[in-house]
Every structure is written in structure tokens, then in C-alpha cells.
Amino acid sequence: MTNLILAAIAALVVGIVIGVFVGRSGQGTSLRQRRAEQQIEELRSEYTRYQAQVNEHFMESAHLLRRFNDAYRDVNQHMARGANRLCNDEDWMEELAQETSKKRLEEVREDASEPPRDYAPKTDPKDSGTLAEDFGLKKGDKAQQA
């Protein structure tokens, strides 16, 4: 009977030790799992904050660009109204238009470059051109070729 009681106590101790190890290993897994879930939640909240910052940036950029466009339009309208009100002399406007067109034509003439030629210009009208069959040949060479 004492052997039976000793065996029961030994089995109880072994069961407790095994239970403690199994319990701790299960807690380690759940602890790791909780840490991973916590990290995931932190990353989600950080990503949400980042999205909010990006949205705020673009909303503010759109607002500033709208204000810039409005200011540009106002300046342009102001200049047009001033030009219409202050420059109503038609003779002066015509003279200004003629001067600018003359300047443009003169600039084009001065800066104009010729398109590339596919021939060499003749220095003397009696010379044969580059497309002639005897171009670059001497008088004696032509007789030898024939």
C-alpha cells in the first residue's frame, strides 16, 4: 500500500511538473502573439496618422494653389482694365503694333538661317553644278572616260 501511495505521489509530482511546463510554453506563445498583435496595432495607427498627414498636405496645397490662381487672375484683370482705360488712343496703338511687327520682321531676317542645301552653290554661272556628270573632272578626264 505504501508503494501504491508513493507511486501516486510520484505521478502527481510528475503531472504537476509537466503541467507547469505546458502552461508556461502556452503562455509564451500567447505572450508572443499578444506582442505581435500589439505591434500590428501600432503599425496600423501609425499608417492611419501618415494617411491623415498626406491628406492634410494635399488639401492645404490645393487651397494655396487656388489662392495663387485667384491672385493671378485678379492681377491680370487689373492690368487689362488699366490698359483699356489708359490706352484708348487708337493712333498710338496702331503705331505700336506697326513698330512691333517691323521689329519682329527685322529680327527674323537677321536671325533667319537658310535650310541645308543638297548641292554646292556655283561660284561662276558658267561652271557645272554638283549634279552635273562632269563635276570635279578635268577636261582631259572626260575624254578618257568616254
Side-chain angles (χ1 to χ4, degrees), residues 42-79:
E42 287 174 4
L43 289 174
R44 281 184 185 154
S45 64
E46 184 178 337
Y47 178 69
T48 304
R49 280 193 307 269
Y50 177 74
Q51 281 182 327
Q53 288 174 348
V54 168
N55 288 338
E56 182 181 340
H57 168 76
F58 282 112
M59 292 296 288
E60 186 176 353
S61 297
H63 176 70
L64 291 172
L65 284 172
R66 191 176 312 115
R67 282 183 24 205
F68 176 76
N69 287 335
D70 291 344
Y72 177 77
R73 186 182 62 242
D74 292 343
V75 168
N76 194 9
Q77 288 174 352
H78 170 73
M79 295 300 288

PDB file of all heavy atoms in Angstrom, residues 42-79:
ATOM      1  N   GLU A  42      -0.009  49.046 -33.496  1.00  0.00           N
ATOM      2  CA  GLU A  42       0.800  50.266 -33.532  1.00  0.00           C
ATOM      3  C   GLU A  42       1.090  50.677 -34.972  1.00  0.00           C
ATOM      4  O   GLU A  42       1.018  51.857 -35.317  1.00  0.00           O
ATOM      5  CB  GLU A  42       2.113  50.062 -32.766  1.00  0.00           C
ATOM      6  CG  GLU A  42       1.957  50.009 -31.263  1.00  0.00           C
ATOM      7  CD  GLU A  42       3.267  49.664 -30.561  1.00  0.00           C
ATOM      8  OE1 GLU A  42       4.305  49.536 -31.242  1.00  0.00           O
ATOM      9  OE2 GLU A  42       3.237  49.514 -29.325  1.00  0.00           O
ATOM     10  N   LEU A  43       1.418  49.683 -35.813  1.00  0.00           N
ATOM     11  CA  LEU A  43       1.684  49.980 -37.224  1.00  0.00           C
ATOM     12  C   LEU A  43       0.438  50.514 -37.936  1.00  0.00           C
ATOM     13  O   LEU A  43       0.520  51.431 -38.751  1.00  0.00           O
ATOM     14  CB  LEU A  43       2.215  48.738 -37.941  1.00  0.00           C
ATOM     15  CG  LEU A  43       3.635  48.307 -37.581  1.00  0.00           C
ATOM     16  CD1 LEU A  43       3.974  46.983 -38.243  1.00  0.00           C
ATOM     17  CD2 LEU A  43       4.628  49.379 -38.000  1.00  0.00           C
ATOM     18  N   ARG A  44      -0.711  49.947 -37.602  1.00  0.00           N
ATOM     19  CA  ARG A  44      -1.962  50.438 -38.191  1.00  0.00           C
ATOM     20  C   ARG A  44      -2.232  51.882 -37.791  1.00  0.00           C
ATOM     21  O   ARG A  44      -2.611  52.698 -38.619  1.00  0.00           O
ATOM     22  CB  ARG A  44      -3.135  49.557 -37.768  1.00  0.00           C
ATOM     23  CG  ARG A  44      -3.243  48.276 -38.521  1.00  0.00           C
ATOM     24  CD  ARG A  44      -4.472  47.504 -38.132  1.00  0.00           C
ATOM     25  NE  ARG A  44      -4.482  46.217 -38.802  1.00  0.00           N
ATOM     26  CZ  ARG A  44      -5.091  45.139 -38.366  1.00  0.00           C
ATOM     27  NH1 ARG A  44      -5.753  45.184 -37.216  1.00  0.00           N
ATOM     28  NH2 ARG A  44      -5.047  44.026 -39.040  1.00  0.00           N
ATOM     29  N   SER A  45      -2.038  52.181 -36.525  1.00  0.00           N
ATOM     30  CA  SER A  45      -2.295  53.551 -36.067  1.00  0.00           C
ATOM     31  C   SER A  45      -1.280  54.518 -36.696  1.00  0.00           C
ATOM     32  O   SER A  45      -1.647  55.636 -37.085  1.00  0.00           O
ATOM     33  CB  SER A  45      -2.266  53.639 -34.547  1.00  0.00           C
ATOM     34  OG  SER A  45      -0.985  53.342 -34.049  1.00  0.00           O
ATOM     35  N   GLU A  46      -0.021  54.085 -36.833  1.00  0.00           N
ATOM     36  CA  GLU A  46       0.989  54.933 -37.472  1.00  0.00           C
ATOM     37  C   GLU A  46       0.639  55.165 -38.945  1.00  0.00           C
ATOM     38  O   GLU A  46       0.753  56.280 -39.456  1.00  0.00           O
ATOM     39  CB  GLU A  46       2.366  54.269 -37.355  1.00  0.00           C
ATOM     40  CG  GLU A  46       3.501  55.101 -37.906  1.00  0.00           C
ATOM     41  CD  GLU A  46       4.844  54.414 -37.711  1.00  0.00           C
ATOM     42  OE1 GLU A  46       4.960  53.565 -36.814  1.00  0.00           O
ATOM     43  OE2 GLU A  46       5.755  54.730 -38.484  1.00  0.00           O
ATOM     44  N   TYR A  47       0.179  54.126 -39.623  1.00  0.00           N
ATOM     45  CA  TYR A  47      -0.222  54.238 -41.022  1.00  0.00           C
ATOM     46  C   TYR A  47      -1.429  55.170 -41.166  1.00  0.00           C
ATOM     47  O   TYR A  47      -1.479  55.999 -42.084  1.00  0.00           O
ATOM     48  CB  TYR A  47      -0.546  52.853 -41.581  1.00  0.00           C
ATOM     49  CG  TYR A  47      -1.011  52.857 -43.013  1.00  0.00           C
ATOM     50  CD1 TYR A  47      -0.135  53.167 -44.042  1.00  0.00           C
ATOM     51  CD2 TYR A  47      -2.330  52.556 -43.329  1.00  0.00           C
ATOM     52  CE1 TYR A  47      -0.560  53.175 -45.353  1.00  0.00           C
ATOM     53  CE2 TYR A  47      -2.762  52.568 -44.636  1.00  0.00           C
ATOM     54  CZ  TYR A  47      -1.874  52.864 -45.650  1.00  0.00           C
ATOM     55  OH  TYR A  47      -2.306  52.875 -46.947  1.00  0.00           O
ATOM     56  N   THR A  48      -2.367  55.085 -40.251  1.00  0.00           N
ATOM     57  CA  THR A  48      -3.537  55.959 -40.281  1.00  0.00           C
ATOM     58  C   THR A  48      -3.123  57.411 -40.076  1.00  0.00           C
ATOM     59  O   THR A  48      -3.617  58.319 -40.763  1.00  0.00           O
ATOM     60  CB  THR A  48      -4.551  55.529 -39.205  1.00  0.00           C
ATOM     61  OG1 THR A  48      -4.883  54.149 -39.402  1.00  0.00           O
ATOM     62  CG2 THR A  48      -5.809  56.356 -39.255  1.00  0.00           C
ATOM     63  N   ARG A  49      -2.190  57.667 -39.129  1.00  0.00           N
ATOM     64  CA  ARG A  49      -1.686  59.023 -38.918  1.00  0.00           C
ATOM     65  C   ARG A  49      -0.990  59.539 -40.172  1.00  0.00           C
ATOM     66  O   ARG A  49      -1.166  60.691 -40.578  1.00  0.00           O
ATOM     67  CB  ARG A  49      -0.715  59.059 -37.731  1.00  0.00           C
ATOM     68  CG  ARG A  49      -1.378  59.083 -36.382  1.00  0.00           C
ATOM     69  CD  ARG A  49      -0.385  59.434 -35.268  1.00  0.00           C
ATOM     70  NE  ARG A  49       0.799  58.594 -35.243  1.00  0.00           N
ATOM     71  CZ  ARG A  49       0.918  57.456 -34.548  1.00  0.00           C
ATOM     72  NH1 ARG A  49      -0.091  57.029 -33.814  1.00  0.00           N
ATOM     73  NH2 ARG A  49       2.025  56.755 -34.587  1.00  0.00           N
ATOM     74  N   TYR A  50      -0.197  58.681 -40.816  1.00  0.00           N
ATOM     75  CA  TYR A  50       0.511  59.062 -42.042  1.00  0.00           C
ATOM     76  C   TYR A  50      -0.482  59.424 -43.147  1.00  0.00           C
ATOM     77  O   TYR A  50      -0.309  60.437 -43.836  1.00  0.00           O
ATOM     78  CB  TYR A  50       1.433  57.929 -42.496  1.00  0.00           C
ATOM     79  CG  TYR A  50       2.137  58.203 -43.790  1.00  0.00           C
ATOM     80  CD1 TYR A  50       3.207  59.101 -43.853  1.00  0.00           C
ATOM     81  CD2 TYR A  50       1.743  57.579 -44.971  1.00  0.00           C
ATOM     82  CE1 TYR A  50       3.857  59.354 -45.036  1.00  0.00           C
ATOM     83  CE2 TYR A  50       2.382  57.834 -46.163  1.00  0.00           C
ATOM     84  CZ  TYR A  50       3.438  58.721 -46.185  1.00  0.00           C
ATOM     85  OH  TYR A  50       4.075  58.978 -47.369  1.00  0.00           O
ATOM     86  N   GLN A  51      -1.508  58.629 -43.318  1.00  0.00           N
ATOM     87  CA  GLN A  51      -2.534  58.925 -44.326  1.00  0.00           C
ATOM     88  C   GLN A  51      -3.195  60.271 -44.036  1.00  0.00           C
ATOM     89  O   GLN A  51      -3.446  61.058 -44.958  1.00  0.00           O
ATOM     90  CB  GLN A  51      -3.599  57.832 -44.355  1.00  0.00           C
ATOM     91  CG  GLN A  51      -3.193  56.588 -45.102  1.00  0.00           C
ATOM     92  CD  GLN A  51      -4.318  55.569 -45.131  1.00  0.00           C
ATOM     93  OE1 GLN A  51      -5.097  55.469 -44.194  1.00  0.00           O
ATOM     94  NE2 GLN A  51      -4.389  54.819 -46.218  1.00  0.00           N
ATOM     95  N   ALA A  52      -3.480  60.535 -42.774  1.00  0.00           N
ATOM     96  CA  ALA A  52      -4.102  61.805 -42.409  1.00  0.00           C
ATOM     97  C   ALA A  52      -3.167  62.972 -42.730  1.00  0.00           C
ATOM     98  O   ALA A  52      -3.612  64.009 -43.236  1.00  0.00           O
ATOM     99  CB  ALA A  52      -4.471  61.801 -40.928  1.00  0.00           C
ATOM    100  N   GLN A  53      -1.870  62.812 -42.475  1.00  0.00           N
ATOM    101  CA  GLN A  53      -0.908  63.867 -42.784  1.00  0.00           C
ATOM    102  C   GLN A  53      -0.820  64.113 -44.297  1.00  0.00           C
ATOM    103  O   GLN A  53      -0.753  65.261 -44.744  1.00  0.00           O
ATOM    104  CB  GLN A  53       0.473  63.509 -42.241  1.00  0.00           C
ATOM    105  CG  GLN A  53       0.584  63.591 -40.738  1.00  0.00           C
ATOM    106  CD  GLN A  53       1.939  63.091 -40.236  1.00  0.00           C
ATOM    107  OE1 GLN A  53       2.709  62.487 -40.976  1.00  0.00           O
ATOM    108  NE2 GLN A  53       2.211  63.352 -38.965  1.00  0.00           N
ATOM    109  N   VAL A  54      -0.820  63.039 -45.077  1.00  0.00           N
ATOM    110  CA  VAL A  54      -0.763  63.177 -46.534  1.00  0.00           C
ATOM    111  C   VAL A  54      -2.014  63.893 -47.040  1.00  0.00           C
ATOM    112  O   VAL A  54      -1.936  64.812 -47.866  1.00  0.00           O
ATOM    113  CB  VAL A  54      -0.598  61.795 -47.213  1.00  0.00           C
ATOM    114  CG1 VAL A  54      -0.833  61.875 -48.715  1.00  0.00           C
ATOM    115  CG2 VAL A  54       0.781  61.224 -46.926  1.00  0.00           C
ATOM    116  N   ASN A  55      -3.179  63.487 -46.536  1.00  0.00           N
ATOM    117  CA  ASN A  55      -4.425  64.140 -46.946  1.00  0.00           C
ATOM    118  C   ASN A  55      -4.411  65.621 -46.581  1.00  0.00           C
ATOM    119  O   ASN A  55      -4.807  66.473 -47.376  1.00  0.00           O
ATOM    120  CB  ASN A  55      -5.635  63.450 -46.311  1.00  0.00           C
ATOM    121  CG  ASN A  55      -5.896  62.104 -46.927  1.00  0.00           C
ATOM    122  OD1 ASN A  55      -5.485  61.824 -48.046  1.00  0.00           O
ATOM    123  ND2 ASN A  55      -6.592  61.253 -46.194  1.00  0.00           N
ATOM    124  N   GLU A  56      -3.943  65.934 -45.386  1.00  0.00           N
ATOM    125  CA  GLU A  56      -3.880  67.325 -44.944  1.00  0.00           C
ATOM    126  C   GLU A  56      -2.934  68.132 -45.833  1.00  0.00           C
ATOM    127  O   GLU A  56      -3.232  69.263 -46.222  1.00  0.00           O
ATOM    128  CB  GLU A  56      -3.417  67.383 -43.486  1.00  0.00           C
ATOM    129  CG  GLU A  56      -3.365  68.773 -42.911  1.00  0.00           C
ATOM    130  CD  GLU A  56      -2.874  68.771 -41.466  1.00  0.00           C
ATOM    131  OE1 GLU A  56      -2.936  67.712 -40.812  1.00  0.00           O
ATOM    132  OE2 GLU A  56      -2.433  69.832 -41.019  1.00  0.00           O
ATOM    133  N   HIS A  57      -1.788  67.536 -46.179  1.00  0.00           N
ATOM    134  CA  HIS A  57      -0.812  68.219 -47.036  1.00  0.00           C
ATOM    135  C   HIS A  57      -1.435  68.562 -48.388  1.00  0.00           C
ATOM    136  O   HIS A  57      -1.319  69.697 -48.870  1.00  0.00           O
ATOM    137  CB  HIS A  57       0.418  67.334 -47.227  1.00  0.00           C
ATOM    138  CG  HIS A  57       1.334  67.819 -48.308  1.00  0.00           C
ATOM    139  ND1 HIS A  57       2.176  68.883 -48.144  1.00  0.00           N
ATOM    140  CD2 HIS A  57       1.515  67.380 -49.573  1.00  0.00           C
ATOM    141  CE1 HIS A  57       2.851  69.093 -49.259  1.00  0.00           C
ATOM    142  NE2 HIS A  57       2.465  68.188 -50.146  1.00  0.00           N
ATOM    143  N   PHE A  58      -2.101  67.604 -49.012  1.00  0.00           N
ATOM    144  CA  PHE A  58      -2.664  67.849 -50.333  1.00  0.00           C
ATOM    145  C   PHE A  58      -3.852  68.803 -50.272  1.00  0.00           C
ATOM    146  O   PHE A  58      -4.064  69.596 -51.196  1.00  0.00           O
ATOM    147  CB  PHE A  58      -3.024  66.540 -51.025  1.00  0.00           C
ATOM    148  CG  PHE A  58      -1.824  65.847 -51.602  1.00  0.00           C
ATOM    149  CD1 PHE A  58      -1.382  64.654 -51.060  1.00  0.00           C
ATOM    150  CD2 PHE A  58      -1.127  66.387 -52.660  1.00  0.00           C
ATOM    151  CE1 PHE A  58      -0.271  64.014 -51.581  1.00  0.00           C
ATOM    152  CE2 PHE A  58      -0.014  65.771 -53.186  1.00  0.00           C
ATOM    153  CZ  PHE A  58       0.422  64.572 -52.646  1.00  0.00           C
ATOM    154  N   MET A  59      -4.619  68.759 -49.218  1.00  0.00           N
ATOM    155  CA  MET A  59      -5.722  69.702 -49.083  1.00  0.00           C
ATOM    156  C   MET A  59      -5.183  71.128 -48.944  1.00  0.00           C
ATOM    157  O   MET A  59      -5.693  72.061 -49.576  1.00  0.00           O
ATOM    158  CB  MET A  59      -6.589  69.339 -47.867  1.00  0.00           C
ATOM    159  CG  MET A  59      -7.360  68.048 -48.024  1.00  0.00           C
ATOM    160  SD  MET A  59      -8.567  68.118 -49.337  1.00  0.00           S
ATOM    161  CE  MET A  59      -9.766  69.185 -48.594  1.00  0.00           C
ATOM    162  N   GLU A  60      -4.141  71.305 -48.137  1.00  0.00           N
ATOM    163  CA  GLU A  60      -3.549  72.627 -47.976  1.00  0.00           C
ATOM    164  C   GLU A  60      -2.898  73.104 -49.270  1.00  0.00           C
ATOM    165  O   GLU A  60      -3.017  74.269 -49.648  1.00  0.00           O
ATOM    166  CB  GLU A  60      -2.513  72.621 -46.844  1.00  0.00           C
ATOM    167  CG  GLU A  60      -1.958  73.990 -46.534  1.00  0.00           C
ATOM    168  CD  GLU A  60      -1.015  73.985 -45.343  1.00  0.00           C
ATOM    169  OE1 GLU A  60      -0.893  72.945 -44.672  1.00  0.00           O
ATOM    170  OE2 GLU A  60      -0.406  75.040 -45.105  1.00  0.00           O
ATOM    171  N   SER A  61      -2.235  72.183 -50.000  1.00  0.00           N
ATOM    172  CA  SER A  61      -1.625  72.537 -51.288  1.00  0.00           C
ATOM    173  C   SER A  61      -2.688  72.992 -52.279  1.00  0.00           C
ATOM    174  O   SER A  61      -2.505  73.980 -52.996  1.00  0.00           O
ATOM    175  CB  SER A  61      -0.863  71.347 -51.871  1.00  0.00           C
ATOM    176  OG  SER A  61       0.199  70.984 -51.035  1.00  0.00           O
ATOM    177  N   ALA A  62      -3.802  72.278 -52.336  1.00  0.00           N
ATOM    178  CA  ALA A  62      -4.885  72.664 -53.245  1.00  0.00           C
ATOM    179  C   ALA A  62      -5.435  74.038 -52.871  1.00  0.00           C
ATOM    180  O   ALA A  62      -5.704  74.869 -53.749  1.00  0.00           O
ATOM    181  CB  ALA A  62      -5.987  71.611 -53.208  1.00  0.00           C
ATOM    182  N   HIS A  63      -5.587  74.289 -51.585  1.00  0.00           N
ATOM    183  CA  HIS A  63      -6.094  75.586 -51.132  1.00  0.00           C
ATOM    184  C   HIS A  63      -5.129  76.709 -51.520  1.00  0.00           C
ATOM    185  O   HIS A  63      -5.552  77.760 -52.027  1.00  0.00           O
ATOM    186  CB  HIS A  63      -6.309  75.560 -49.613  1.00  0.00           C
ATOM    187  CG  HIS A  63      -6.734  76.854 -49.035  1.00  0.00           C
ATOM    188  ND1 HIS A  63      -7.974  77.400 -49.259  1.00  0.00           N
ATOM    189  CD2 HIS A  63      -6.066  77.735 -48.253  1.00  0.00           C
ATOM    190  CE1 HIS A  63      -8.051  78.563 -48.639  1.00  0.00           C
ATOM    191  NE2 HIS A  63      -6.911  78.787 -48.013  1.00  0.00           N
ATOM    192  N   LEU A  64      -3.831  76.501 -51.311  1.00  0.00           N
ATOM    193  CA  LEU A  64      -2.838  77.521 -51.648  1.00  0.00           C
ATOM    194  C   LEU A  64      -2.784  77.762 -53.151  1.00  0.00           C
ATOM    195  O   LEU A  64      -2.665  78.913 -53.604  1.00  0.00           O
ATOM    196  CB  LEU A  64      -1.462  77.117 -51.117  1.00  0.00           C
ATOM    197  CG  LEU A  64      -1.306  77.131 -49.601  1.00  0.00           C
ATOM    198  CD1 LEU A  64       0.034  76.534 -49.196  1.00  0.00           C
ATOM    199  CD2 LEU A  64      -1.455  78.540 -49.053  1.00  0.00           C
ATOM    200  N   LEU A  65      -2.856  76.703 -53.953  1.00  0.00           N
ATOM    201  CA  LEU A  65      -2.855  76.867 -55.407  1.00  0.00           C
ATOM    202  C   LEU A  65      -4.103  77.614 -55.879  1.00  0.00           C
ATOM    203  O   LEU A  65      -4.037  78.432 -56.799  1.00  0.00           O
ATOM    204  CB  LEU A  65      -2.756  75.508 -56.098  1.00  0.00           C
ATOM    205  CG  LEU A  65      -1.374  74.873 -56.094  1.00  0.00           C
ATOM    206  CD1 LEU A  65      -1.434  73.458 -56.638  1.00  0.00           C
ATOM    207  CD2 LEU A  65      -0.402  75.706 -56.906  1.00  0.00           C
ATOM    208  N   ARG A  66      -5.235  77.336 -55.268  1.00  0.00           N
ATOM    209  CA  ARG A  66      -6.460  78.054 -55.618  1.00  0.00           C
ATOM    210  C   ARG A  66      -6.298  79.545 -55.316  1.00  0.00           C
ATOM    211  O   ARG A  66      -6.654  80.404 -56.128  1.00  0.00           O
ATOM    212  CB  ARG A  66      -7.649  77.479 -54.860  1.00  0.00           C
ATOM    213  CG  ARG A  66      -8.989  77.996 -55.352  1.00  0.00           C
ATOM    214  CD  ARG A  66     -10.169  77.343 -54.645  1.00  0.00           C
ATOM    215  NE  ARG A  66     -10.077  75.893 -54.578  1.00  0.00           N
ATOM    216  CZ  ARG A  66      -9.955  75.191 -53.449  1.00  0.00           C
ATOM    217  NH1 ARG A  66      -9.920  75.796 -52.280  1.00  0.00           N
ATOM    218  NH2 ARG A  66      -9.887  73.885 -53.479  1.00  0.00           N
ATOM    219  N   ARG A  67      -5.713  79.868 -54.140  1.00  0.00           N
ATOM    220  CA  ARG A  67      -5.480  81.275 -53.798  1.00  0.00           C
ATOM    221  C   ARG A  67      -4.509  81.927 -54.775  1.00  0.00           C
ATOM    222  O   ARG A  67      -4.689  83.077 -55.188  1.00  0.00           O
ATOM    223  CB  ARG A  67      -4.934  81.395 -52.373  1.00  0.00           C
ATOM    224  CG  ARG A  67      -6.005  81.250 -51.328  1.00  0.00           C
ATOM    225  CD  ARG A  67      -5.528  81.442 -49.901  1.00  0.00           C
ATOM    226  NE  ARG A  67      -4.324  82.238 -49.721  1.00  0.00           N
ATOM    227  CZ  ARG A  67      -3.513  82.122 -48.686  1.00  0.00           C
ATOM    228  NH1 ARG A  67      -3.769  81.242 -47.741  1.00  0.00           N
ATOM    229  NH2 ARG A  67      -2.447  82.872 -48.582  1.00  0.00           N
ATOM    230  N   PHE A  68      -3.463  81.197 -55.151  1.00  0.00           N
ATOM    231  CA  PHE A  68      -2.486  81.704 -56.112  1.00  0.00           C
ATOM    232  C   PHE A  68      -3.154  81.994 -57.457  1.00  0.00           C
ATOM    233  O   PHE A  68      -2.926  83.054 -58.058  1.00  0.00           O
ATOM    234  CB  PHE A  68      -1.357  80.674 -56.276  1.00  0.00           C
ATOM    235  CG  PHE A  68      -0.345  81.046 -57.316  1.00  0.00           C
ATOM    236  CD1 PHE A  68       0.600  82.021 -57.060  1.00  0.00           C
ATOM    237  CD2 PHE A  68      -0.338  80.412 -58.544  1.00  0.00           C
ATOM    238  CE1 PHE A  68       1.534  82.367 -58.025  1.00  0.00           C
ATOM    239  CE2 PHE A  68       0.589  80.747 -59.508  1.00  0.00           C
ATOM    240  CZ  PHE A  68       1.532  81.728 -59.249  1.00  0.00           C
ATOM    241  N   ASN A  69      -3.977  81.082 -57.939  1.00  0.00           N
ATOM    242  CA  ASN A  69      -4.673  81.279 -59.213  1.00  0.00           C
ATOM    243  C   ASN A  69      -5.615  82.472 -59.145  1.00  0.00           C
ATOM    244  O   ASN A  69      -5.719  83.250 -60.099  1.00  0.00           O
ATOM    245  CB  ASN A  69      -5.450  80.026 -59.618  1.00  0.00           C
ATOM    246  CG  ASN A  69      -4.535  78.921 -60.093  1.00  0.00           C
ATOM    247  OD1 ASN A  69      -3.430  79.185 -60.552  1.00  0.00           O
ATOM    248  ND2 ASN A  69      -4.981  77.694 -59.977  1.00  0.00           N
ATOM    249  N   ASP A  70      -6.313  82.621 -58.029  1.00  0.00           N
ATOM    250  CA  ASP A  70      -7.211  83.768 -57.872  1.00  0.00           C
ATOM    251  C   ASP A  70      -6.432  85.083 -57.901  1.00  0.00           C
ATOM    252  O   ASP A  70      -6.849  86.051 -58.544  1.00  0.00           O
ATOM    253  CB  ASP A  70      -8.001  83.659 -56.563  1.00  0.00           C
ATOM    254  CG  ASP A  70      -9.017  82.521 -56.583  1.00  0.00           C
ATOM    255  OD1 ASP A  70      -9.328  82.026 -57.688  1.00  0.00           O
ATOM    256  OD2 ASP A  70      -9.474  82.123 -55.490  1.00  0.00           O
ATOM    257  N   ALA A  71      -5.291  85.120 -57.215  1.00  0.00           N
ATOM    258  CA  ALA A  71      -4.474  86.333 -57.196  1.00  0.00           C
ATOM    259  C   ALA A  71      -3.940  86.639 -58.598  1.00  0.00           C
ATOM    260  O   ALA A  71      -3.945  87.801 -59.039  1.00  0.00           O
ATOM    261  CB  ALA A  71      -3.316  86.183 -56.214  1.00  0.00           C
ATOM    262  N   TYR A  72      -3.507  85.623 -59.315  1.00  0.00           N
ATOM    263  CA  TYR A  72      -3.006  85.827 -60.680  1.00  0.00           C
ATOM    264  C   TYR A  72      -4.122  86.359 -61.578  1.00  0.00           C
ATOM    265  O   TYR A  72      -3.913  87.284 -62.369  1.00  0.00           O
ATOM    266  CB  TYR A  72      -2.446  84.521 -61.238  1.00  0.00           C
ATOM    267  CG  TYR A  72      -1.977  84.643 -62.663  1.00  0.00           C
ATOM    268  CD1 TYR A  72      -0.757  85.252 -62.954  1.00  0.00           C
ATOM    269  CD2 TYR A  72      -2.754  84.180 -63.714  1.00  0.00           C
ATOM    270  CE1 TYR A  72      -0.328  85.391 -64.253  1.00  0.00           C
ATOM    271  CE2 TYR A  72      -2.329  84.319 -65.023  1.00  0.00           C
ATOM    272  CZ  TYR A  72      -1.116  84.922 -65.294  1.00  0.00           C
ATOM    273  OH  TYR A  72      -0.703  85.056 -66.584  1.00  0.00           O
ATOM    274  N   ARG A  73      -5.310  85.793 -61.483  1.00  0.00           N
ATOM    275  CA  ARG A  73      -6.446  86.249 -62.274  1.00  0.00           C
ATOM    276  C   ARG A  73      -6.779  87.702 -61.937  1.00  0.00           C
ATOM    277  O   ARG A  73      -7.027  88.520 -62.829  1.00  0.00           O
ATOM    278  CB  ARG A  73      -7.664  85.356 -62.036  1.00  0.00           C
ATOM    279  CG  ARG A  73      -8.837  85.702 -62.945  1.00  0.00           C
ATOM    280  CD  ARG A  73     -10.067  84.856 -62.677  1.00  0.00           C
ATOM    281  NE  ARG A  73     -10.545  85.075 -61.316  1.00  0.00           N
ATOM    282  CZ  ARG A  73     -10.609  84.143 -60.385  1.00  0.00           C
ATOM    283  NH1 ARG A  73     -10.262  82.903 -60.663  1.00  0.00           N
ATOM    284  NH2 ARG A  73     -11.046  84.423 -59.178  1.00  0.00           N
ATOM    285  N   ASP A  74      -6.750  88.066 -60.652  1.00  0.00           N
ATOM    286  CA  ASP A  74      -7.037  89.439 -60.239  1.00  0.00           C
ATOM    287  C   ASP A  74      -6.016  90.419 -60.822  1.00  0.00           C
ATOM    288  O   ASP A  74      -6.381  91.487 -61.320  1.00  0.00           O
ATOM    289  CB  ASP A  74      -7.067  89.553 -58.717  1.00  0.00           C
ATOM    290  CG  ASP A  74      -8.247  88.815 -58.102  1.00  0.00           C
ATOM    291  OD1 ASP A  74      -9.196  88.499 -58.844  1.00  0.00           O
ATOM    292  OD2 ASP A  74      -8.201  88.555 -56.880  1.00  0.00           O
ATOM    293  N   VAL A  75      -4.737  90.054 -60.782  1.00  0.00           N
ATOM    294  CA  VAL A  75      -3.693  90.925 -61.336  1.00  0.00           C
ATOM    295  C   VAL A  75      -3.888  91.068 -62.845  1.00  0.00           C
ATOM    296  O   VAL A  75      -3.782  92.172 -63.400  1.00  0.00           O
ATOM    297  CB  VAL A  75      -2.287  90.368 -61.000  1.00  0.00           C
ATOM    298  CG1 VAL A  75      -1.206  91.068 -61.806  1.00  0.00           C
ATOM    299  CG2 VAL A  75      -2.005  90.506 -59.521  1.00  0.00           C
ATOM    300  N   ASN A  76      -4.176  89.973 -63.514  1.00  0.00           N
ATOM    301  CA  ASN A  76      -4.377  90.002 -64.963  1.00  0.00           C
ATOM    302  C   ASN A  76      -5.572  90.883 -65.319  1.00  0.00           C
ATOM    303  O   ASN A  76      -5.495  91.697 -66.243  1.00  0.00           O
ATOM    304  CB  ASN A  76      -4.576  88.574 -65.475  1.00  0.00           C
ATOM    305  CG  ASN A  76      -4.442  88.493 -66.970  1.00  0.00           C
ATOM    306  OD1 ASN A  76      -4.048  89.437 -67.618  1.00  0.00           O
ATOM    307  ND2 ASN A  76      -4.790  87.347 -67.528  1.00  0.00           N
ATOM    308  N   GLN A  77      -6.661  90.767 -64.604  1.00  0.00           N
ATOM    309  CA  GLN A  77      -7.835  91.597 -64.851  1.00  0.00           C
ATOM    310  C   GLN A  77      -7.534  93.072 -64.569  1.00  0.00           C
ATOM    311  O   GLN A  77      -7.967  93.952 -65.311  1.00  0.00           O
ATOM    312  CB  GLN A  77      -9.019  91.125 -64.007  1.00  0.00           C
ATOM    313  CG  GLN A  77      -9.604  89.814 -64.477  1.00  0.00           C
ATOM    314  CD  GLN A  77     -10.682  89.293 -63.543  1.00  0.00           C
ATOM    315  OE1 GLN A  77     -10.905  89.832 -62.459  1.00  0.00           O
ATOM    316  NE2 GLN A  77     -11.353  88.224 -63.959  1.00  0.00           N
ATOM    317  N   HIS A  78      -6.783  93.341 -63.521  1.00  0.00           N
ATOM    318  CA  HIS A  78      -6.402  94.710 -63.194  1.00  0.00           C
ATOM    319  C   HIS A  78      -5.580  95.317 -64.328  1.00  0.00           C
ATOM    320  O   HIS A  78      -5.820  96.469 -64.737  1.00  0.00           O
ATOM    321  CB  HIS A  78      -5.620  94.733 -61.879  1.00  0.00           C
ATOM    322  CG  HIS A  78      -4.994  96.061 -61.584  1.00  0.00           C
ATOM    323  ND1 HIS A  78      -5.721  97.164 -61.191  1.00  0.00           N
ATOM    324  CD2 HIS A  78      -3.701  96.460 -61.654  1.00  0.00           C
ATOM    325  CE1 HIS A  78      -4.904  98.184 -61.017  1.00  0.00           C
ATOM    326  NE2 HIS A  78      -3.667  97.778 -61.299  1.00  0.00           N
ATOM    327  N   MET A  79      -4.618  94.575 -64.841  1.00  0.00           N
ATOM    328  CA  MET A  79      -3.784  95.068 -65.933  1.00  0.00           C
ATOM    329  C   MET A  79      -4.617  95.301 -67.192  1.00  0.00           C
ATOM    330  O   MET A  79      -4.430  96.299 -67.896  1.00  0.00           O
ATOM    331  CB  MET A  79      -2.641  94.091 -66.222  1.00  0.00           C
ATOM    332  CG  MET A  79      -1.652  93.948 -65.072  1.00  0.00           C
ATOM    333  SD  MET A  79      -0.847  95.482 -64.632  1.00  0.00           S
ATOM    334  CE  MET A  79       0.216  95.694 -66.020  1.00  0.00           C
TER     335      MET A  79
END
